[in-house]
Amino acid sequence: MRIVVSGYHGMGNLGDEAVLAAFIQELREIAPKVECVALSGDPARTESAYGIAAIPRTSISAILRELGRADLFVSGGGSLLQDVTGRGSVPYYAGLMLLARALGKPVSVYAQGVGPLNSWFSRWLACQALKRASVVTLRDPGSMELLREIGVDRPPPVLVADPAFALDPEDPGDSRSWLHEHPQVMFALRPWPGEDGREAGYARVIGRVSAETGARVALLAFQPETDLAMARRIRDLCDAGGWAHPDVVELRGSPGQALSVISHADLVVGMRLHSLIFAASAGVPAVAIDYDPKVRAMAERTSNAHVVSVDAPPEELIQAVLDAWRQRDEIRAELALGAADLRGQAREAARLALSP
């Protein structure tokens, strides 16, 4: 059997790499003889990281060749069918699904978070592609509801968990050098347009949190190409304000190593979705910064009550972080109860993806 899998792979985003890593991990357990080819922005890196074949994600000739040889096309996971980050996402990912069907190949939609779909064209095109899939699994109830709204009832969608919940931790490698024995709060922020002074606000939050908890603070760059410069600016603002000096950490290792890093935290403050998923998976309390519906949806799935809007004033985020810090022991106990179920759902998503 030969599978072609698409997603936002090889683009330097740790969350999307976690999805692929988890899929390959489960694939090797369920069907170790299956050949897998990934569409990637960096095929050489993808091949090296996962030991699979990879082709350029924008090469029509290579995609047609591999789809022609494939027995199954897997779309996902991640937030692929959405039109918030750009108008090209829905045409690209839905177009691949429709191309696979035109070539007579079954399509599995793997643990996706669908939406937002703001334009009529995005909704129509997503509907056409999803209706033609053999299997559709979704990672949150909001996506289930959106499919009902746009008219997708066949195949019946199945609610699962994000694939990263199935990921196994790995040795943290070079990151071990800054993992400390004393309490640690890890922030996983990302650039986001809007209010001026957002970075200065985060510096104030870090200063207060460090002063009131005694914890060391780290700024994790989940997607270094975009997050690292912001993390360094926040660190410099902390230094200029006389506040605690945070560590700035580039997460350039494997997703399993990043999961291991997160597991050493006492609290995570995350905008990056997979920082929150890793925290829940590892039983680490978290405060979610809600900049996109997927963040709130994941907070709801993990019963996380500590959610703050990205546009909230710093004082509101400070209060949420301190509240979570005080409650961290009972939050850990609650997370431990739900982690096994979410891991099981994530593993089931891979099994269903291979079932057509």
Side-chain angles (χ1 to χ4, degrees), residues 105-120:
K105 310 300 179 179
V107 171
S108 288
V109 175
Y110 172 54
Q112 288 197 28
V114 179
L117 296 171
N118 294 311
S119 77
W120 70 265

Side-chain angles (χ1 to χ4, degrees), residues 14-20 22-23 26 76-79 110-113 137-140 159-167 273-274 276-278 281 294 298 301-302 339 341-350:
L14 187 58
D16 292 285
E17 295 306 308
V19 168
L20 181 58
F23 180 69
E26 295 305 304
S79 302
Y110 172 54
Q112 288 197 28
T137 60
L138 303 172
R139 71 184 180 193
D140 61 81
L159 181 64
V160 294
D162 188 282
F165 279 107
L167 194 65
L273 177 67
H274 280 82
L276 300 170
I277 292 172
F278 286 170
S281 180
K294 66 185 180 183
M298 189 53 59
R301 289 229 64 191
T302 55
D341 182 52
L342 290 168
R343 181 176 176 85
Q345 291 183 37
R347 300 190 73 177
E348 177 67 2

